[in-house]
Amino acid sequence: EDKEALLKAIREFDLIATKYKEINSEKVRFLDNVIQADDAKVKEHHERLSSYYERLPRPFQKRFDELLGMIKKQEKISNTMLLNLELSSFIPSRLIEKAREDQGWKYYDAPLQKKQLKMIEDIMNSRKVTVAFENDPENKFEITPGQKARMKMVLALFKAEGGKLEE
């Protein structure tokens, strides 16, 4: 009786294992198709941008090459220029993000959550704020009154522009 129950359980386990393998194989095929489609889009985008670049007058090509070099060398570029380059899609966004980060900027295109707003307001309204890195608690810095004032300006602009909060 126990042998029969054990054999039945083993057969059920084998069926479940087989079904799991089938589902996993389907997921792998799906992900492979997604990756191939994404690679095709990237290639098409690159070819289109290369075509645009080739049609630019030589002085514009030269300026573009200089800007790309400045970004790669982490030289300072105005935020306006970075925005223009980003909108043009000529330069990979990761290079533009890196250039901004090197200048102390971080561009976010995400909704502000209520709990984040509370944290920002607490920081702005506290007399003294010390920030410690999660992965390196010994690495600390203090937020200056000037930084708090800039945070207030950014938040005021966010509210004036009709920024919306998420839960």
Side-chain angles (χ1 to χ4, degrees), residues 57-166:
R58 185 63 195 136
F60 288 108
Q61 287 180 351
K62 186 177 178 185
R63 181 66 180 140
F64 174 78
D65 294 339
E66 289 171 4
L67 288 169
L68 184 58
M70 290 172 70
I71 289 175
K72 286 181 178 178
K73 293 177 192 171
Q74 301 178 358
E75 294 178 16
K76 292 217 180 237
I77 300 173
S78 74
N79 195 47
T80 303
M81 181 60 74
L82 288 172
L83 284 171
N84 288 334
L85 289 171
E86 188 171 44
L87 292 173
S88 74
S89 298
F90 274 121
I91 294 179
S93 59
R94 70 180 188 288
L95 290 177
I96 294 172
E97 288 173 16
K98 178 78 172 107
R100 277 198 182 99
E101 287 175 14
D102 292 341
Q103 294 179 19
W105 288 91
K106 181 69 178 167
Y107 180 75
Y108 286 97
D109 186 12
L112 181 62
Q113 296 179 357
K114 287 183 179 180
K115 65 182 179 180
Q116 293 170 323
L117 176 62
K118 169 94 171 80
M119 180 183 66
I120 292 169
E121 289 172 338
D122 286 348
I123 289 170
M124 291 185 312
N125 297 322
S126 296
R127 190 177 55 77
K128 180 179 177 182
V129 178
T130 302
V131 177
F133 293 89
E134 184 176 32
N135 295 333
D136 185 7
E138 298 301 315
N139 190 1
K140 299 176 183 177
F141 65 93
E142 205 169 299
I143 295 182
T144 67
Q147 290 168 326
K148 288 181 193 179
R150 289 191 292 276
M151 289 174 78
K152 286 180 183 179
M153 285 189 286
V154 169
L155 190 56
L157 179 62
F158 171 79
K159 290 177 179 177
E161 291 291 325
K164 299 203 181 343
L165 297 174
E166 283 197 357

